[in-house]
Amino acid sequence: MLNAQDGESSNYSYLDLVILIKEYSSDPNLDLLELYKRMIFNIITSNTDDHLRNHGFIISEDFKIRLSPLFDLNQVKNSYTHTLNIFSDMKEINLDNLINYSKYFNLSKDEGKKIIEEINMTIKDSLNTLFKIYSFNRFEKEYIHSSLKYIEN
């Protein structure tokens, strides 16, 4: 939809996807909310392999366009440079910037902050549950935590 070639993700940002959603989605507010959540999740979990092919759209039989379900998630240890730019003019990814940029997703700063807090808590709680159920050793836990940004260990 962006007329991009494979491997050109670094020339684009999440804002390019925002523009597509605002122009073509049959439910832009829902798709923008979902994209914001995915972006935050990708940042927190170091899913830096978030190239354009990992952000698909589904076209229904009646030609309505929606953001596709989430797919192809990969935690990349010690990688904090995303394949798809977060925002073209953002020099540093931090929580304040992410909250300020929530406006592009039709969200207030309070809504953006709440989403970030909810995703942080969900990831933290899920990991604690997994660590209790399965026998992760200290090194495995450290590996997982080393890739998580903005989460208290």
Side-chain angles (χ1 to χ4, degrees):
M1 290 178 69
L2 289 169
N3 291 320
Q5 300 298 312
D6 197 23
E8 289 185 337
S9 293
S10 62
N11 297 330
Y12 295 91
S13 75
Y14 278 87
L15 287 181
D16 292 302
L17 298 175
V18 165
I19 292 167
L20 284 178
I21 288 170
K22 286 182 176 181
E23 187 169 342
Y24 296 109
S25 173
S26 61
D27 195 342
N29 286 329
L30 192 60
D31 284 345
L32 288 171
L33 173 62
E34 177 63 22
L35 182 64
Y36 187 75
K37 288 178 178 181
R38 291 179 190 189
M39 180 185 71
I40 299 303
F41 180 84
N42 287 342
I43 291 167
I44 292 172
T45 62
S46 297
N47 178 31
T48 57
D49 188 37
D50 53 350
H51 51 79
L52 287 173
R53 285 184 290 135
N54 288 346
H55 298 281
F57 292 88
I58 294 176
I59 302 173
S60 65
E61 290 180 16
D62 57 354
F63 296 101
K64 293 187 180 189
I65 295 175
R66 294 297 312 277
L67 190 62
S68 72
L70 185 62
F71 59 93
D72 195 15
L73 301 172
N74 299 293
Q75 183 182 34
V76 183
K77 184 179 179 183
N78 297 323
S79 177
Y80 304 108
T81 303
H82 290 260
T83 306
L84 181 64
N85 294 312
I86 302 304
F87 301 108
S88 57
D89 64 340
M90 185 182 286
K91 303 298 180 208
E92 179 183 348
I93 298 172
N94 62 50
L95 292 178
D96 288 336
N97 286 339
L98 296 172
I99 292 167
N100 288 332
Y101 277 82
S102 62
K103 64 185 175 189
Y104 296 108
F105 297 81
N106 294 346
L107 300 167
S108 69
K109 287 183 180 182
D110 287 340
E111 290 169 322
K113 183 178 180 180
K114 183 178 179 191
I115 289 166
I116 292 168
E117 290 169 353
E118 287 173 354
I119 292 172
N120 264 326
M121 189 56 65
T122 299
I123 293 169
K124 185 177 179 180
D125 290 347
S126 297
L127 283 176
N128 287 336
T129 300
L130 286 173
F131 291 159
K132 287 177 185 173
I133 295 172
Y134 299 102
S135 299
F136 284 85
N137 65 41
R138 181 175 57 91
F139 299 106
E140 292 167 326
K141 289 178 183 179
E142 286 175 6
Y143 177 85
I144 292 169
H145 279 294
S146 72
S147 299
L148 299 175
K149 294 181 75 176
Y150 313 117
I151 292 187
E152 301 168 7
N153 293 339

